[in-house]
Amino acid sequence: MADNSYVHGYSSRESERLADQAQTLTDLLHHDTRYLPGSRVLEAGCGTGAQTVILARNSPGALITSVDISEDSLKHAEEKIREEGIVNVTFRQGDIFRLPFKKGTFDHIFVCFVLEHLAEPERALSRLRPLLKDGGTLTVIEGDHGSAYFHPENGDARRAVQCLVDLQQKMGGNALIGRQLYPLVTGAGYNGVQVSPRMVYVDASKPALVEGFTKLTFTAMVEGVGTEVLDQGLMSQEAWEQGIAALYRTAEPDGVFCYTFFKATARK
Amino acid sequence: MADNSYVHGYSSRESERLADQAQTLTDLLHHDTRYLPGSRVLEAGCGTGAQTVILARNSPGALITSVDISEDSLKHAEEKIREEGIVNVTFRQGDIFRLPFKKGTFDHIFVCFVLEHLAEPERALSRLRPLLKDGGTLTVIEGDHGSAYFHPENGDARRAVQCLVDLQQKMGGNALIGRQLYPLVTGAGYNGVQVSPRMVYVDASKPALVEGFTKLTFTAMVEGVGTEVLDQGLMSQEAWEQGIAALYRTAEPDGVFCYTFFKATARK
């Protein structure tokens, strides 16, 4: 085949790349969360089970209870887990602010990409705390869209990202929550809070991340709120399109993209 | 003594803290730069020798030549090195764009906090390249003021930081150069370029960094351009003062501060 076969990609090579990228991010965020066999783990806010699969694979002997407020999401999560042949997860519907468990039920609580959607994230963490045994651990992982910066620098691209932050705020969430984990977890009454930033740095030497993170994860996510941004008049169509183009521009061979996730661990 | 003795600090405890902080940053940036005994190392742009001391201590057997364009800075650097009892450094005055060395003189070139001040950083790296032996290495370390973000978020604080970026640009420099190291070093003709971000994450669990980095390094640096900002009318006095106060506010017990340095290594 000619050289351009690489640029356009075979579908098999493409899916291999994406799998590489997913594995890179999984390692970055989850490699240091391993629960002992027999330990009882609560995943609070499992959504459609994207993190549940990783959690369960990394701790195959742990007894995981995954809850979500949405019956619909739970159905998807259950299906995913069944397809993967994972057997150590039980699902249960529930509201994170009043979960149907007795005090001290769990050895560990795991919360990933949940707090960003809540109007009262500290209260959610406070409500979870009694469910932990004394000395039990809490682990929280969140992104932070304000941690995104890139080269070439571009004002429209920055404004486009800010639109995503503003929209999430209007919906009662907080897209800048990653950097706030230390005060949130401390304020909710946990001890020994430690926060570790997990930076995704992408340049042309990392083609799987250029494709899988800069383009297909971050820029696609910003692009996804285009209709709302234009409907609400947050940016002109021209500026928005230039901003999105500038984000894709950072995936060129001389471009660079940076984003940071934050992981907090603490004890009851 | 009363409890407030900790808040106000003894001078000895204070200097201990600052030493801790300096050591933390030194480790973060320099721990993986160690040159073999007998190797010839060029430090291009040594300034007053702050990095020279670290470089020489980490590679006590290397033969280091440190150059700078300013005779005055060199004098300070020589004095510092002499005071520290370091004997493996030779100083020489020279312009980074036309240094007085033969081709292939050095095994390694080290450039730290220099490119941010140059209007043509890529050309500087190109000019240094012939001075390396084939297979010799280049190491570059730079900050990136656009990588600074914090909690609580504050618009005036962000604008104050942006003033620092704008002023450095007016002087022909680039305060956002850290994120650009990959394209710069690659563009200058080096091979095997690898960039590793070094993030400084500061929360209340790290009091030495709260004091030494958030307050005394970053915020003090921004504060230092206050006269220029106000003289040039880049911000109103009120907004400027609120911005600086908001930066100091990130050093309170519920505040968080993030900044990222970038380190590139490459081969000729």
Side-chain angles (χ1 to χ4, degrees):
Chain A
M1 291 293 290
D3 269 341
N4 64 2
S5 63
Y6 181 72
V7 175
H8 298 296
Y10 291 114
S11 61
S12 68
R13 164 166 268 160
E14 205 47 36
S15 65
E16 213 174 275
R17 268 191 181 192
L18 293 182
D20 281 359
Q21 178 263 329
Q23 192 54 48
T24 303
L25 283 187
T26 297
D27 290 348
L28 182 72
L29 300 181
H30 296 276
H31 75 90
D32 49 357
T33 300
R34 313 266 169 180
Y35 299 120
L36 288 177
S39 58
R40 297 187 169 271
V41 178
L42 169 66
E43 183 193 12
C46 64
T48 60
Q51 312 305 318
T52 313
V53 172
I54 301 163
L55 191 65
R57 280 211 190 111
N58 282 347
S59 301
L63 306 168
I64 300 170
T65 303
S66 294
V67 301
D68 202 88
I69 197 164
S70 157
E71 290 279 12
D72 199 47
S73 293
L74 281 173
K75 237 180 266 172
H76 283 93
E78 284 192 279
E79 200 172 316
K80 196 174 286 169
I81 285 290
R82 203 172 43 237
E83 278 170 9
E84 298 281 340
I86 291 169
V87 296
N88 61 330
V89 180
T90 307
F91 290 95
R92 188 145 171 194
Q93 194 273 339
D95 179 343
I96 200 168
F97 291 100
R98 39 171 176 268
L99 287 175
F101 302 109
K102 287 186 186 152
K103 286 185 178 186
T105 300
F106 298 101
D107 299 293
H108 308 288
I109 297 181
F110 180 83
V111 185
C112 186
F113 304 144
V114 173
L115 299 185
E116 61 172 319
H117 303 295
L118 304 179
E120 298 179 291
E122 190 175 310
R123 194 167 72 90
L125 294 174
S126 297
R127 288 295 182 98
L128 291 173
R129 194 170 163 277
L131 307 182
L132 270 182
K133 289 177 185 160
D134 288 341
T137 75
L138 170 75
T139 297
V140 185
I141 302 175
E142 295 288 341
D144 188 313
H145 296 350
S147 76
Y149 53 97
F150 35 79
H151 174 74
E153 180 58 86
N154 181 283
D156 288 324
R158 277 210 261 175
R159 275 186 287 280
V161 174
Q162 186 60 43
C163 284
L164 186 64
V165 173
D166 294 344
L167 284 171
Q168 191 150 348
Q169 195 174 18
K170 278 189 192 175
M171 292 171 62
N174 180 359
L176 307 181
I177 202 162
R179 74 188 71 171
Q180 299 175 37
L181 290 187
Y182 182 84
L184 282 175
V185 178
T186 304
Y190 294 83
N191 296 315
V193 184
Q194 291 200 304
V195 173
S196 124
R198 312 279 162 118
M199 185 169 170
V200 184
Y201 165 81
V202 188
D203 64 32
S205 70
K206 299 162 164 58
L209 283 173
V210 170
E211 198 65 24
F213 191 79
T214 305
K215 291 164 77 172
L216 294 177
T217 301
F218 189 83
T219 304
M221 176 177 65
V222 178
E223 218 174 357
V225 297
T227 312
E228 282 117 301
V229 169
L230 298 180
D231 283 356
Q232 299 186 25
L234 302 179
M235 284 176 79
S236 73
Q237 178 151 1
E238 192 189 354
W240 173 259
E241 283 170 5
Q242 283 175 1
I244 296 297
L247 287 175
Y248 280 114
R249 170 70 184 83
T250 70
E252 297 292 308
D254 64 346
V256 173
F257 192 88
C258 302
Y259 185 93
T260 300
F261 296 91
F262 292 80
K263 182 168 186 171
T265 55
R267 290 186 315 278
K268 180 178 177 184
Chain B
M1 292 290 291
D3 269 341
N4 65 2
S5 63
Y6 182 73
V7 175
H8 297 297
Y10 292 114
S11 62
S12 67
R13 163 167 266 161
E14 206 45 37
S15 65
E16 212 175 276
R17 269 191 180 194
L18 292 180
D20 281 358
Q21 177 264 330
Q23 192 54 47
T24 303
L25 283 187
T26 297
D27 290 348
L28 183 73
L29 301 181
H30 296 278
H31 74 92
D32 49 356
T33 300
R34 313 269 169 177
Y35 300 120
L36 289 176
S39 59
R40 296 186 169 273
V41 178
L42 171 65
E43 183 192 14
C46 64
T48 59
Q51 312 305 317
T52 313
V53 172
I54 301 164
L55 191 66
R57 281 212 189 112
N58 282 347
S59 301
L63 307 166
I64 299 169
T65 303
S66 294
V67 302
D68 202 88
I69 198 164
S70 156
E71 290 279 11
D72 200 48
S73 293
L74 281 173
K75 236 180 267 171
H76 284 93
E78 283 192 280
E79 201 173 316
K80 195 173 290 171
I81 285 290
R82 201 172 45 236
E83 278 170 9
E84 298 281 340
I86 291 168
V87 296
N88 60 329
V89 180
T90 309
F91 290 95
R92 189 147 170 190
Q93 194 274 338
D95 179 344
I96 200 168
F97 291 100
R98 39 172 177 268
L99 288 175
F101 302 109
K102 288 186 187 153
K103 286 184 180 187
T105 300
F106 298 102
D107 298 292
H108 308 287
I109 297 180
F110 180 83
V111 186
C112 187
F113 303 143
V114 174
L115 299 184
E116 61 173 320
H117 302 295
L118 304 179
E120 298 179 291
E122 189 173 312
R123 194 166 72 88
L125 294 174
S126 297
R127 288 295 181 96
L128 290 173
R129 194 170 163 276
L131 306 183
L132 270 183
K133 289 176 186 162
D134 289 342
T137 75
L138 170 75
T139 297
V140 185
I141 301 174
E142 295 288 342
D144 188 312
H145 295 351
S147 76
Y149 53 97
F150 35 79
H151 174 74
E153 179 60 86
N154 181 283
D156 288 325
R158 277 210 262 176
R159 277 187 285 281
V161 175
Q162 187 60 43
C163 283
L164 187 64
V165 173
D166 293 345
L167 285 171
Q168 191 150 345
Q169 193 174 20
K170 278 190 189 173
M171 291 171 63
N174 179 359
L176 307 181
I177 202 162
R179 73 187 74 171
Q180 301 175 37
L181 289 186
Y182 182 84
L184 282 174
V185 178
T186 304
Y190 294 83
N191 296 314
V193 183
Q194 292 199 304
V195 172
S196 124
R198 312 279 163 118
M199 185 169 171
V200 183
Y201 165 82
V202 188
D203 63 33
S205 71
K206 300 164 165 55
L209 284 173
V210 170
E211 198 65 23
F213 192 79
T214 304
K215 291 165 77 172
L216 294 177
T217 301
F218 189 83
T219 304
M221 176 178 66
V222 177
E223 217 174 357
V225 298
T227 313
E228 283 117 300
V229 169
L230 298 180
D231 284 355
Q232 299 186 26
L234 302 179
M235 284 177 78
S236 73
Q237 178 151 1
E238 192 190 355
W240 173 259
E241 282 169 5
Q242 284 176 0
I244 296 297
L247 287 174
Y248 279 114
R249 170 70 184 82
T250 72
E252 296 293 309
D254 64 346
V256 173
F257 191 88
C258 302
Y259 185 93
T260 300
F261 295 92
F262 291 80
K263 182 167 186 172
T265 55
R267 290 186 315 278
K268 180 179 175 183

